[in-house]
Amino acid sequence: MTPIRATVPTAEEARALLTGIRRTAGPGVDAVAADLAADEPDAALLDLVTAPFASVDDVDERLARTESYLRERGDRRAVFLTVYSRMTATVRTAIDDGAFLDPEWAASYLVAFAERYRRALVAFERRAFEALPRPWLIAFAAGARGETLVAQDALLGINAHIVYDLAYTLDDVGIDPDRDAKREDHDRINAILARLVQTVQDALVETYGAVGIDGIDRVLDPLDDRLALLGLKGSREFAWRNAVLLADLPAWLADRYVGWRAETVSTGAAAVVLAPDIDAEAKAHLRESEAEADAAAAFREGIRRRM
């Protein structure tokens, strides 16, 4: 049984929750969703992602194929998948190399994490917006609107997947029995995520520098704070604490309380990502420069070389 004190937010969580309550991604997200509601789903994309993932190999192979498909169509959802497919390949290698205390649990963790993304992508493509977690709706709708920078596309996806999905992934695979050992393996995956975010930062800085875009530091700096109101390290701890609450509290309380915590912080972080410290004219110039230089392709190449 979780002690009452464990349900009380830490000081860092309280600040993040308060900021999340005050911040919003704006009504534009719902307007984009309404505009898309009548569009026909992409049958070829759904062919790739409708079936649940069956194994680590299946996740690795289909995420890569989905990333290629979206990229070839110029779909901005490919930007996050550029990051995520590489992360998956890195975790797969770590499993194969015996880096985890419980490799079977780690493999289940990887598949369950990918399942969270897959279900969100399918829900958005089928226009089942009511079944879509709010941070994913914000991320996908922003890409569909076509007004985001590559940096924002990457960060919105990372935010939704780590800050929101991670706790529910841990609940899906279970943190008991042997909770301490599972915590160690969770931390090993966290270390991979930390390296991934540094890789993303390096690749973005290189990408924008290569195409001659100045001022991007105001979007990226500090990347850790832009990723989540708690910071990257804090967001991983937040996910574990949420998973403990889901495991130990009565279901009627845990579902509502953790749902509120996860959505408030992740949507607040998305609002931060969507509101960088640059004016509209400067952002429009960045967007035009990105298009002319194909920043998305340059970013993909930068990630590929680093992972």
Side-chain angles (χ1 to χ4, degrees):
M1 178 67 69
T2 298
I4 292 297
R5 67 177 179 275
T7 68
V8 178
T10 65
E12 293 79 9
E13 290 173 356
R15 285 193 292 269
L17 287 163
L18 182 60
T19 302
I21 290 168
R22 291 172 173 171
R23 298 296 295 263
T24 176
V29 171
D30 295 309
V32 172
D35 289 342
L36 292 171
D39 289 358
E40 285 295 320
D42 185 328
L45 175 59
L46 289 175
D47 282 346
L48 282 171
V49 296
T50 293
F53 290 120
S55 66
V56 170
D57 288 348
D58 186 30
V59 171
D60 196 12
E61 189 266 337
R62 279 203 282 154
L63 285 181
R65 286 170 55 200
T66 303
E67 188 264 350
S68 294
Y69 177 77
L70 292 174
R71 176 168 42 83
E72 289 165 3
R73 293 174 64 249
D75 191 315
R76 301 288 289 201
R77 289 174 292 181
V79 174
F80 168 68
L81 266 181
T82 291
V83 177
Y84 186 40
S85 60
R86 271 60 179 186
M87 187 217 80
T88 299
T90 301
V91 175
R92 176 189 180 183
T93 298
I95 293 171
D96 292 342
D97 290 345
F100 296 98
L101 296 175
D102 186 343
E104 183 175 339
W105 183 81
S108 296
Y109 189 158
L110 184 148
V111 174
F113 200 31
E115 267 295 289
R116 287 278 165 180
Y117 168 76
R118 185 197 64 79
R119 292 201 296 268
L121 182 62
V122 169
F124 184 82
E125 192 60 33
R126 288 177 171 165
R127 314 307 184 226
F129 301 129
E130 70 285 350
L132 191 61
R134 185 74 178 175
W136 277 119
L137 179 59
I138 293 169
F140 291 146
R145 190 187 301 124
E147 298 175 356
T148 44
L149 303 169
V150 167
Q152 291 171 304
D153 290 325
L155 295 180
L156 287 170
I158 292 171
N159 169 65
H161 207 34
I162 293 179
V163 181
Y164 186 86
D165 284 347
L166 196 54
Y168 291 107
T169 296
L170 287 163
D171 188 54
D172 290 339
V173 297
I175 59 174
D176 296 310
D178 300 322
R179 186 176 293 191
D180 289 344
K182 289 179 172 62
R183 175 61 193 258
E184 286 190 43
D185 279 344
H186 168 71
D187 288 343
R188 286 179 172 86
I189 292 178
N190 285 341
I192 292 171
L193 294 177
R195 291 195 297 272
L196 170 71
V197 171
Q198 184 60 53
T199 296
V200 170
Q201 182 171 10
D202 293 345
L204 286 168
V205 169
E206 178 186 279
T207 294
Y208 285 105
V211 301
I213 296 176
D214 296 322
I216 197 62
D217 57 315
R218 282 173 290 175
V219 178
L220 299 178
D221 187 21
L223 183 67
D224 193 46
D225 291 340
R226 291 293 181 188
L227 172 60
L229 300 179
L230 290 162
L232 178 59
K233 181 178 180 181
S235 69
R236 299 193 308 265
E237 179 63 26
F238 181 66
W240 181 264
R241 280 172 51 82
N242 280 341
V244 169
L245 293 173
L246 287 168
D248 292 352
L249 288 177
W252 65 268
L253 175 59
D255 291 345
R256 292 185 178 184
Y257 182 50
V258 172
W260 173 77
R261 281 165 54 94
E263 181 168 307
T264 299
V265 173
S266 59
T267 55
V272 172
V273 171
L274 287 169
D277 186 23
I278 53 177
D279 59 37
E281 183 177 349
K283 183 178 176 182
H285 173 68
L286 287 171
R287 190 76 178 86
E288 291 172 5
S289 299
E290 276 194 356
E292 291 173 1
D294 197 356
F299 172 63
R300 181 177 184 273
E301 178 60 22
I303 292 289
R304 187 195 64 78
R305 287 199 310 272
R306 288 172 168 81
M307 297 187 72

